[in-house]
Amino acid sequence: MTELNPYIPFLSEITEVIKHTEIEFTFRMTYSGDVKPGQFFEVSLPKFGEAPISVSGIGDGTVDLTIRKVGKVTDEIFENYVGDTLFLRGPYGNGFDIANYKGKEILLVAGGTGLSPVKGIVDYFSAHPEDCKGFTLLVGFKSPKDVLFKKDFEEWEKNLNVIMTVDTPEDGYCGKCGLVTQYIPEIPIKNSDEAVGIVVGPPMMMKCTITELFNVGFKEENIWISQERKMCCGIGKCGHCKIDDTYICLDGPVFNYTKGKFLKD
């Protein structure tokens, strides 16, 4: 029996394009199969290359891929709209396991585009608030114009404790300002010994956030992170994402902090 070549992508149709900012769109793609928040697909276009994109939403026969226009491949992807097709490989990586968080108090802290790979977790507990003892989403953006998933925030706020902050306010902005870390001590966690923390964002933001979680009593074995690295092959062959003996594309990108704390370049 001939094995399929894991490098060969499949065609996926764009069913919807959602604009968040001038350089960040969500492409809703056809896909049937198992997928978890935090996993990623390699998205490609012939002659232009491919790029790893995290899953930002899971639907019935679709996945959402939120893409930032920052280079050759993503620039070309932005020229494609509903009815067009892109090539996908994946999903890759281990993702976030919702079962790890059910029945717990949950504090999810995200910075900027770090909200994309954990959006599926927020979506799940927003739709099933009875499955946890409490859920706080704390997310920071550079400015009001950089806010992603604005319509989703309106839904999340109905069932979850949502705190959004920006680094640089603009005229007319009436929300919270400052770093996400300054709001962690204010969050009403009933039992920090058993509460779970999920942290995704720029490396320095993650480091400072985890320090604050320790300060309010979180245990390191109850914290999960997602490592952001350039993942090329997705199957542990090229070595681009290797840190010591760990392949981020295979062993991650999601790690419990007891393992993730050792992953340093």
Side-chain angles (χ1 to χ4, degrees):
M1 181 176 178
T2 303
E3 292 187 7
L4 296 176
N5 187 333
Y7 284 109
I8 296 178
F10 56 88
L11 272 176
S12 176
E13 182 179 341
I14 302 170
T15 64
E16 187 176 358
V17 177
I18 304 165
K19 179 179 179 180
H20 303 297
T21 72
E22 291 302 316
I23 61 169
E24 287 153 324
F25 291 9
T26 289
F27 291 77
R28 184 157 290 162
M29 311 297 301
T30 55
Y31 176 74
S32 296
D34 294 334
V35 61
K36 293 181 180 179
Q39 290 188 301
F40 66 97
F41 284 85
E42 291 284 353
V43 183
S44 63
L45 283 168
K47 299 188 295 184
F48 293 95
E50 65 180 0
I53 306 295
S54 295
V55 173
S56 61
I58 303 168
D60 184 11
T62 64
V63 291
D64 290 355
L65 303 176
T66 299
I67 301 174
R68 172 179 280 186
K69 187 178 182 181
V70 291
K72 180 180 178 181
V73 179
T74 52
D75 284 355
E76 186 63 24
I77 289 173
F78 270 52
E79 298 300 316
N80 291 264
Y81 290 93
V82 175
D84 292 340
T85 55
L86 301 174
F87 284 98
L88 304 182
R89 291 195 290 118
Y92 296 125
N94 59 359
F96 291 96
D97 189 343
I98 296 293
N100 287 329
Y101 317 120
K102 286 185 176 181
K104 306 287 183 65
E105 287 182 276
I106 304 164
L107 171 54
L108 193 158
V109 188
T113 55
L115 180 58
S116 294
V118 292
K119 179 177 174 290
I121 303 173
V122 186
D123 287 337
Y124 177 84
F125 285 104
S126 176
H128 305 89
E130 70 281 358
D131 282 357
C132 64
K133 293 182 178 179
F135 192 112
T136 294
L137 170 64
L138 173 57
V139 58
F141 296 99
K142 288 183 179 179
S143 71
K145 68 181 180 182
D146 295 306
V147 175
L148 304 177
F149 312 117
K150 291 179 182 178
K151 290 186 177 180
D152 295 284
F153 271 98
E154 295 175 5
E155 289 299 313
W156 296 339
E157 289 171 346
K158 295 176 182 179
N159 292 320
L160 309 176
N161 179 31
V162 177
I163 303 170
M164 184 199 299
T165 180
V166 300
D167 296 338
T168 307
E170 298 173 348
D171 291 343
Y173 177 74
C174 300
K176 296 182 181 296
C177 301
L179 302 177
V180 291
T181 48
Q182 73 187 65
Y183 294 96
I184 291 175
E186 302 175 9
I187 296 171
I189 300 295
K190 296 176 183 178
N191 186 351
S192 58
D193 280 346
E194 297 182 1
V196 297
I198 301 166
V199 184
V200 183
M204 185 54 66
M205 168 264 171
M206 292 174 64
K207 179 180 178 180
C208 295
T209 296
I210 290 169
T211 297
E212 285 300 319
L213 293 184
F214 289 155
N215 288 341
V216 297
F218 278 72
K219 293 181 178 179
E220 65 175 29
E221 62 265 28
N222 291 335
I223 298 173
W224 278 262
I225 63 173
S226 180
Q227 293 279 11
E228 294 184 357
R229 286 180 69 83
K230 174 67 173 177
M231 289 170 281
C232 295
C233 72
I235 56 175
K237 300 300 183 183
C238 71
H240 279 81
C241 69
K242 191 169 183 279
I243 301 178
D244 296 328
D245 62 349
T246 300
Y247 289 87
I248 304 301
C249 67
L250 293 179
D251 305 311
V254 175
F255 295 92
N256 184 271
Y257 187 68
T258 55
K259 169 70 173 178
K261 67 181 180 180
F262 297 111
L263 300 175
K264 299 177 182 179
D265 288 327

